[in-house]
Amino acid sequence: MAHHNIYWNPLTETLPREKLMSLQLKKFKRIFEWAYNNSPFYRRLYKEAGIEPGDIKSFDDIRRVPKIDKGMLREVQSRPPFPYGDILAVPIEDVVVFRQTSGTTGTPVYQADTWQDWEWWAECWAYILYAQGYRDTDRVFLPFGYNIFVAFWACHYAAEKLGCEVVPGGVLDTEARILKMQELKCTAFGATPTYVLGMADTARKMGIDPKTIGIKKITCAGEPGASIPSTKKRIEDAWGARVYDHIGATEIGAWSYMCTFETRGLHVNEAFFLVEIEDIDTGEIIETPGKNGKMVITAFDRIGKPCIRFDSKDVIRWADYTCECGRTFRMIDGGVVGRADDITKVKGVLLAPTAIEEVVRDIQELSDEYEVIVTKKGDIDDIMLKVEIRPGCEGDKEAILARLKDQLRVKTNLGYRIEVHPYGSLPRYEVKAKRFKDLRKHG
Amino acid sequence: MENLYNIEMLDKRIKELKKIAEEIKESGGQIEAVKRNINRILASIKMLEINICDLTEV
């Protein structure tokens, strides 16, 4: 029997499935009608497809609604009003905050949010933090560069909403952040998995064992690491803390979260979002657990720049297990397991970069950093993996590399050229890491 | 869990709250300090609506 005090909102989070689906349909109709009536971009799109608000009566009707993608969001920015384009569904005067995507996959997308949208962002995050055990007794440190990227901004406001004490660790370097966390006896923090590991490394170099700082929980975002068991374990071992993943995106919102009960997967906040999984080849909707597909997502309550049936290119799969927390929200297994435009064929074999990370991070003698470079030599693909061996383990180099090669072969069905680099020489990242480089596309 | 709460009553009171906020905006909205603060209150009320009111009639 689940306990009442583990939910931010027990009414939505434990709503019976049938009612939850009825709620989703009702909310989809509402945001569709809102976008149709207020956003020239969406109205054009839907008129061309011959769909009007009154046509949405079932989930089958929802499947007929045209999808949007990042390319369309970029393209619409060339239209007025500057800089968002006519996807905007509110007067430009109602926009109170600008954010943009990181531009990892191309030109950044600009995001407009009204004050209501910003409240909504914080509300999405309130569900996340509460499910992960954040309470008003927590002192939460946020070591990120408070800037144009949404990153942990909404986490900040949600933590305040929960009554936590928030320590904004903006313009401090990593050492200063560690000292401040230690000084203030912070109990929780949030960052990308890469940076969380990097902070632990820095702390050790400063002579501080991260476990002694007193952090009890860490919320990760921006990369899939906290859903990769070996990376999650590394972080938990380093900090002596529980590590939770959450998934969100600038254009979408914060739509998914681990709770304290089941960390193999993440709950989808189905009261706020509709997540559909499509077969990558056929486009058929996947309801079967365990089968990978591409996510198409709708945010029900975002009004400034609505997000309706957004083809995110994230590859996810429904979990074949349930969570004992009592939430009726469905779970996705293992977080975002890849990108539809990232899963690439190397030597004819489908490769997801996260599989390489799982292997590298599972070998304790290797450092947290690695780099994968795919090139073409003549007609043959070549895949090189650069790793670092931790200080003190160099003597076992041959055995470590043999294990690495074996595990890579087992997990990815590929053979790699492996280069060992001096410890500390591979690039370190503070935000999203770029460890996978496919140079074949550039000639 | 639904049975532990009177959702209809909560819905009714949230609607009353919204009506009062809108009335204040209507009568004092020419004062910038009133208009802008009421807009924020209305955004918070919207969060109550999506957490509570939307669950009625499902």
Side-chain angles (χ1 to χ4, degrees), chain B:
Chain B
M1 201 66 81
E2 296 167 277
N3 300 332
L4 293 174
Y5 305 93
N6 186 340
I7 298 179
E8 275 66 36
M9 186 274 287
L10 289 170
D11 174 53
K12 183 168 168 278
R13 301 306 297 268
I14 291 165
K15 285 190 168 77
E16 287 168 5
L17 191 59
K18 186 176 183 180
K19 188 162 175 285
I20 292 169
E22 285 171 343
E23 283 169 2
I24 294 171
K25 190 175 179 179
E26 179 73 25
S27 53
Q30 67 277 28
I31 303 167
E32 201 67 13
V34 172
K35 184 174 88 177
R36 297 292 174 186
N37 279 300
I38 284 291
N39 283 347
R40 289 201 165 204
I41 289 168
L42 284 167
S44 289
I45 292 172
K46 180 67 184 175
M47 296 307 109
L48 290 173
E49 289 180 331
I50 66 178
N51 275 299
I52 305 292
C53 305
D54 280 353
L55 303 182
T56 59
E57 297 165 16
V58 294

Side-chain angles (χ1 to χ4, degrees), chain A residues 359-373:
Chain A
V359 172
V360 172
R361 296 273 171 81
D362 205 31
I363 296 175
Q364 294 305 311
E365 294 89 342
L366 295 178
S367 85
D368 298 324
E369 291 304 331
Y370 66 94
E371 199 167 84
V372 183
I373 299 170

Side-chain angles (χ1 to χ4, degrees), chain A residues 42 68-71 73-74 77 87 99-105 107-113 120-121 150 248-255 273 295 297-300 302 304-314 339 432:
Chain A
Y42 276 112
I68 59 164
D69 62 24
K70 211 162 202 168
L73 295 180
R74 287 188 186 114
Q77 290 175 176
I87 192 170
R99 304 277 179 232
Q100 69 170 65
T101 60
S102 60
T104 312
T105 57
T107 310
V109 171
Y110 300 144
Q111 188 63 43
D113 281 317
W120 169 83
W121 257 109
V150 74
T250 314
E251 318 87 310
I252 303 168
W255 57 272
F273 298 91
M295 180 176 78
I297 189 164
T298 299
F300 293 133
R302 198 171 191 179
K305 187 178 167 188
C307 172
I308 303 174
R309 299 208 82 218
F310 177 58
D311 178 354
S312 71
K313 312 274 191 266
D314 285 330
R339 297 263 312 155
K432 289 187 182 185

Side-chain angles (χ1 to χ4, degrees), chain A residues 133-434:
Chain A
Y134 287 70
R135 295 294 182 270
D136 56 11
T137 47
D138 277 306
R139 183 172 291 132
V140 182
F141 192 82
L142 292 176
F144 84 101
Y146 286 73
N147 56 24
I148 51 174
F149 305 126
V150 74
F152 284 86
W153 273 105
C155 175
H156 177 122
Y157 288 108
E160 285 183 351
K161 194 181 258 202
L162 262 67
C164 303
E165 182 183 344
V166 182
V167 183
V171 193
L172 299 173
D173 63 21
T174 304
E175 291 187 2
R177 285 168 173 169
I178 288 161
L179 290 173
K180 190 54 72 179
M181 280 166 61
Q182 187 184 45
E183 175 199 341
L184 294 176
K185 298 181 168 55
C186 291
T187 58
F189 75 100
T192 62
T194 295
Y195 193 57
V196 174
L197 283 169
M199 285 178 83
D201 213 21
T202 303
R204 284 188 215 102
K205 284 178 191 154
M206 294 163 69
I208 298 170
D209 179 353
K211 283 197 281 288
T212 64
I213 292 175
I215 295 295
K216 302 284 185 297
K217 48 194 169 276
I218 300 168
T219 298
C220 288
E223 298 168 343
S227 286
I228 297 172
S230 54
T231 300
K232 185 175 188 309
K233 185 172 183 310
R234 267 190 188 219
I235 300 172
E236 292 188 329
D237 289 349
W239 287 92
R242 296 286 309 270
V243 171
Y244 303 107
D245 202 4
H246 114 280
I247 311 171
T250 314
E251 318 87 310
I252 303 168
W255 57 272
S256 184
Y257 54 93
M258 275 179 189
C259 70
T260 55
F261 284 72
E262 173 59 81
T263 56
R264 283 178 295 171
L266 295 89
H267 291 282
V268 174
N269 184 343
E270 293 182 288
F272 284 21
F273 298 91
L274 175 67
V275 165
E276 305 166 80
I277 305 180
E278 277 190 353
D279 186 290
I280 293 170
D281 296 323
T282 67
E284 292 291 310
I285 295 294
I286 298 171
E287 295 290 354
T288 316
K291 189 175 180 205
N292 286 356
K294 196 171 57 165
M295 180 176 78
V296 176
I297 189 164
T298 299
F300 293 133
D301 303 295
R302 198 171 191 179
I303 59 167
K305 187 178 167 188
C307 172
I308 303 174
R309 299 208 82 218
F310 177 58
D311 178 354
S312 71
K313 312 274 191 266
D314 285 330
V315 176
I316 58 173
R317 58 176 173 255
W318 293 118
D320 61 1
Y321 47 84
T322 54
C323 182
E324 288 181 8
C325 70
R327 287 180 179 82
T328 49
F329 293 167
R330 278 185 296 184
M331 298 188 85
I332 55 167
D333 177 45
V336 171
V337 294
R339 297 263 312 155
D341 50 8
D342 203 30
I343 289 180
T344 183
K345 269 194 177 174
V346 179
K347 300 179 186 175
V349 175
L350 279 175
L351 173 70
T354 50
I356 301 173
E357 175 165 328
E358 194 171 350
V359 172
V360 172
R361 296 273 171 81
D362 205 31
I363 296 175
Q364 294 305 311
E365 294 89 342
L366 295 178
S367 85
D368 298 324
E369 291 304 331
Y370 66 94
E371 199 167 84
V372 183
I373 299 170
V374 184
T375 52
K376 213 168 185 63
K377 295 200 167 158
D379 290 334
I380 300 167
D381 291 336
D382 178 78
I383 182 161
M384 184 207 287
L385 173 62
K386 297 180 180 179
V387 293
E388 297 172 350
I389 294 178
R390 284 189 190 280
C393 303
E394 297 90 341
D396 300 327
K397 182 178 167 184
E398 293 312 314
I400 294 165
L401 295 186
R403 265 166 57 213
L404 178 60
K405 281 184 177 174
D406 280 354
Q407 285 304 306
L408 286 168
R409 174 73 69 185
V410 169
K411 293 276 170 65
T412 69
N413 292 312
L414 284 167
Y416 297 71
R417 280 194 303 125
I418 295 178
E419 268 187 15
V420 178
H421 288 247
Y423 182 78
S425 65
L426 290 176
R428 263 62 179 167
Y429 300 89
E430 285 207 11
V431 284
K432 289 187 182 185
K434 289 178 184 168

